[in-house]
Amino acid sequence: MGKITYKRLRGSLNMRQRLLLATLKSTPILIEDIHADDTLPGLRPHEISLLRLFEKLTDDCHIEINETGTKLKYKPGIIVGGSNLVHDCGVSRAIGYFLEPLILLGLFARKPLYIILKGITNDAKDPSVDTFRSTTFPMLKRFGVPSEGLKLEIKSRGVSPHGGGEVHLTVPTVQQLTATMWIDEGMVKRIRGEAFTTRVSVQLGNEMIYAARGIFNRLLPDVYIASDYRKRSEAGNSPGYGISLIAETTSGCCISADSTVSYPRGEEEDDIEGEDKKELIPAADFGEQIASVLLEEIEKGGVVDSTHQGLLFLLCALCPKDVSKVRVGKLSPYGIETLRQIKDFLDVQFVIKPDPSTGTVILKCWGSGMKNLSRKTS
């Protein structure tokens, strides 16, 4: 066996995208100076967990980490997929952090993917599992991913700090994606959503729904927000509440916004006294706040919200050698970094053209021709 040539990278920025693209392209990478300047240098728990997840999905994957965790050698394996897989995502990042790369790997695996993920289902940092189900999945269908076999079941919810949630994910395989011309954002025709509560009063969920409806009903009549009240084993290990909202447009676009409020618990809560005790945002105010965030996302324009820009660009770049053209609002920092990683790993460059009349941006690219790469033999 010949000597392996590693693509050399530095720093911890975009670790998730680097590992994903390296795996899809079967490119060995060497990353140095990972969180090197931090008080606690080295790989974070969620980054190690992501590596272990990739290890479960692939065959002949090799991971080597130095003692301080600041240097990583990663040689991707063949993407196998499979069923009866279980992964504990931990509690340093939500399950949403793992879902984006997991879905893309699943699409290009040898076998359809069925996996149980445990951890935090909803938090304020990563997209919620509700958003993946209501917004991300319809987006995948635009690229030729069949709806049959694409499924996400929320068996139990879990919020920070202690998680306890569980979801079951099923992803079908594809021979290749389908290039898309997706520039018509349409007009908002209805609002849908779901408010959840775990180990707190159901009334908090009702207050979020009532407040959010108060914002939307001034603008359009078709508004429905469901309530998901969880208790006992389905409520995870920490109390909290949150809301996920989706604007559906006349052209089939889904624009989303979501977030979660969670409490400290037990000794953590008892240790916070007097004025230092954390003031949590009231449920009604929180419902109004997330409704306003959704309106801001709609105002930005584009066929996806800012959270989904990165995934949209990845899907375009992974298409066959054909032209894809999409419209987004103002480019998000995550979207910009994704474009850089795509250029670096896939050698796909987007033509970016601002549309002054709408304040949006139109991006066009020639796909990388991703097809059956997981079936390569070593």
Side-chain angles (χ1 to χ4, degrees):
M1 186 176 175
K3 185 179 178 182
I4 298 172
T5 303
Y6 286 88
K7 183 181 181 70
R8 300 181 74 94
L9 302 165
R10 286 190 174 275
S12 57
L13 193 64
N14 304 307
M15 176 75 70
R16 180 175 59 160
Q17 290 174 330
R18 287 172 168 178
L19 293 172
L20 169 65
L21 289 168
T23 307
L24 289 170
K25 284 292 287 182
S26 299
T27 304
I29 57 174
L30 169 63
I31 307 178
E32 298 177 287
D33 298 332
I34 301 171
H35 300 289
D37 297 328
D38 292 5
T39 307
L40 294 172
L43 288 161
R44 299 289 179 258
H46 58 273
E47 293 166 341
I48 295 172
S49 181
L50 185 66
L51 283 165
R52 298 306 174 211
L53 176 60
F54 279 27
E55 205 172 27
K56 289 175 183 176
L57 263 65
T58 59
D59 185 29
D60 197 28
C61 163
H62 179 72
I63 298 168
E64 193 177 311
I65 304 169
N66 70 349
E67 288 183 4
T68 59
T70 56
K71 184 176 178 181
L72 165 69
K73 270 187 175 182
Y74 174 64
K75 185 183 83 66
I78 298 167
I79 309 169
V80 177
S83 57
N84 302 317
L85 299 173
V86 180
H87 184 71
D88 189 336
C89 299
V91 292
S92 63
R93 290 295 290 264
I95 291 172
Y97 171 85
F98 300 84
L99 280 176
E100 183 177 303
L102 186 56
I103 289 169
L104 288 174
L105 289 182
L107 292 175
F108 291 99
R110 277 184 173 174
K111 305 173 186 174
L113 175 66
Y114 175 76
I115 186 169
I116 297 172
L117 300 170
K118 299 181 179 182
I120 294 172
T121 57
N122 304 78
D123 76 348
K125 190 169 187 177
D126 297 300
S128 70
V129 291
D130 305 270
T131 294
F132 273 90
R133 196 164 59 175
S134 63
T135 305
T136 310
F137 283 5
M139 186 173 90
L140 293 172
K141 293 170 192 174
R142 291 269 180 177
F143 291 87
V145 177
S147 54
E148 299 80 17
L150 189 61
K151 192 175 181 183
L152 183 64
E153 293 181 274
I154 305 171
K155 295 297 185 181
S156 61
R157 290 192 184 271
V159 300
S160 62
H162 303 305
E166 180 177 310
V167 300
H168 294 197
L169 173 69
T170 308
V171 181
T173 59
V174 294
Q175 291 296 317
Q176 60 183 13
L177 297 174
T178 305
T180 186
M181 303 294 279
W182 192 15
I183 57 174
D184 180 15
E185 54 210 318
M187 303 289 289
V188 175
K189 64 178 181 179
R190 60 174 168 247
I191 302 290
R192 294 292 182 264
E194 189 163 27
F196 77 89
T197 55
T198 59
R199 299 188 179 276
V200 295
S201 169
V202 68
Q203 183 59 28
L204 295 176
N206 296 335
E207 289 175 13
M208 284 188 290
I209 293 170
Y210 184 78
R213 283 182 61 93
I215 298 287
F216 294 130
N217 280 140
R218 302 173 197 164
L219 306 171
L220 74 169
D222 192 352
V223 179
Y224 178 72
I225 304 170
S227 176
D228 183 16
Y229 174 56
R230 300 281 176 137
K231 55 185 180 179
R232 299 188 179 90
S233 61
E234 292 187 358
N237 302 325
S238 297
Y241 52 87
I243 190 167
S244 172
L245 300 170
I246 310 100
E248 299 178 17
T249 76
T250 51
S251 62
C253 300
C254 294
I255 309 298
S256 65
D258 72 71
S259 195
T260 299
V261 173
S262 57
Y263 293 88
R265 192 178 185 192
E267 294 179 0
E268 295 169 343
E269 191 173 28
D270 295 338
D271 290 343
I272 305 172
E273 297 294 341
E275 294 182 1
D276 293 332
K277 190 165 185 174
K278 183 181 178 183
E279 289 292 328
L280 296 179
I281 181 171
D285 293 350
F286 187 66
E288 285 187 358
Q289 184 185 95
I290 305 307
S292 299
V293 170
L294 180 60
L295 293 179
E296 288 170 9
E297 287 288 348
I298 295 167
E299 187 180 13
K300 289 175 186 174
V303 296
V304 299
D305 52 74
S306 54
T307 305
H308 281 86
Q309 283 185 16
L311 179 57
L312 177 67
F313 301 155
L314 283 167
L315 289 166
C316 289
L318 293 169
C319 280
K321 293 191 174 181
D322 198 355
V323 175
S324 287
K325 188 176 180 181
V326 294
R327 183 192 299 273
V328 298
K330 181 182 176 183
L331 285 171
S332 66
Y334 178 58
I336 293 168
E337 287 301 328
T338 302
L339 291 172
R340 288 173 179 156
Q341 298 302 320
I342 288 170
K343 175 68 170 68
D344 193 24
F345 279 89
L346 302 178
D347 198 27
V348 171
Q349 192 156 355
F350 283 74
V351 176
I352 302 173
K353 185 180 178 183
D355 183 355
S357 63
T358 61
T360 57
V361 181
I362 295 175
L363 295 95
K364 186 165 63 173
C365 81
W366 187 261
S368 64
M370 178 77 180
K371 183 180 178 181
N372 295 333
L373 293 186
S374 64
R375 289 170 167 77
K376 285 184 176 179
T377 56
S378 53

